[in-house]
C-alpha cells in the first residue's frame, strides 16, 4: 500500500511518486548483503516493469506510536486526479521509462475514526 503522511491534504499522484523515490539504506538502516555478508550502504527502489490493465491502489492511512504501541487512523484528505500517469521501467530500461495513463473509475472510502 501507499503510505499517507500526516498532512492536511495530499495528492495520490504525489504519494505514488514518493513511494517510487529511491530510499537510502545507510548507517541507520544498512543493507544486509548476502554476497559479502556485510552491512553496506545502498538504495532501495520500487518500480513497475509492466502495466496492469487495471491499477488498484490501497492507502495505508494509519500511524504507529512506538511509545504507546498503538495505531491511529490518519484523517488526511487525499485528492484523486481523474487521470493519473504512472512511469513504467521495462526490464533492461537503463533509466529510461514510459508513461502509462490510468483513468479513475471508482473510489471506496471507509469513513470515521476507527481502523476496524
Amino acid at each position: 500500500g501507499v503510505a499517507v503522511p500526516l498532512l492536511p491534504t495530499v495528492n495520490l499522484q504525489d504519494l505514488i511518486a514518493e513511494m517510487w523515490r529511491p530510499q537510502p539504506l545507510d548507517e541507520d538502516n544498512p543493507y544486509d548483503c548476502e554476497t559479502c555478508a556485510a552491512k553496506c550502504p545502498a538504495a532501495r527502489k520500487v518500480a513497475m516493469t509492466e502495466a496492469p490493465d487495471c491499477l488498484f491502489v490501497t492507502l495505508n492511512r494509519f500511524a504507529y506510536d512506538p511509545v504507546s504501541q498503538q495505531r491511529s487512523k490518519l484523517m488526511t484528505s487525499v485528492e484523486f486526479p481523474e487521470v493519473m500517469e504512472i512511469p513504467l521501467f521495462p526490464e533492461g530500461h537503463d533509466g529510461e521509462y514510459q508513461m502509462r495513463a490510468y483513468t479513475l473509475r471508482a473510489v471506496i472510502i471507509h469513513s470515521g475514526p476507527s481502523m476496524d
Side-chain angles (χ1 to χ4, degrees), residues 55-75:
L55 181 67
F56 294 86
V57 178
T58 303
L59 301 178
N60 293 333
R61 299 179 61 96
F62 59 88
Y64 178 73
D65 181 355
V67 175
S68 68
Q69 297 185 353
Q70 293 190 352
R71 295 185 311 164
S72 61
K73 185 172 179 182
L74 299 176
M75 301 304 285

Side-chain angles (χ1 to χ4, degrees), residues 90-108:
E91 294 290 331
H93 61 79
D94 293 331
E96 295 181 21
Y97 62 91
Q98 306 161 354
M99 297 301 283
R100 167 70 190 261
Y102 287 94
T103 303
L104 180 66
R105 298 289 183 211
V107 176
I108 298 174

Side-chain angles (χ1 to χ4, degrees), residues 25-34 36-42:
L25 301 174
D26 51 21
E27 62 272 353
D28 294 333
N29 184 24
Y31 174 70
D32 191 9
C33 181
E34 294 177 8
C36 66
K39 296 198 181 272
C40 310

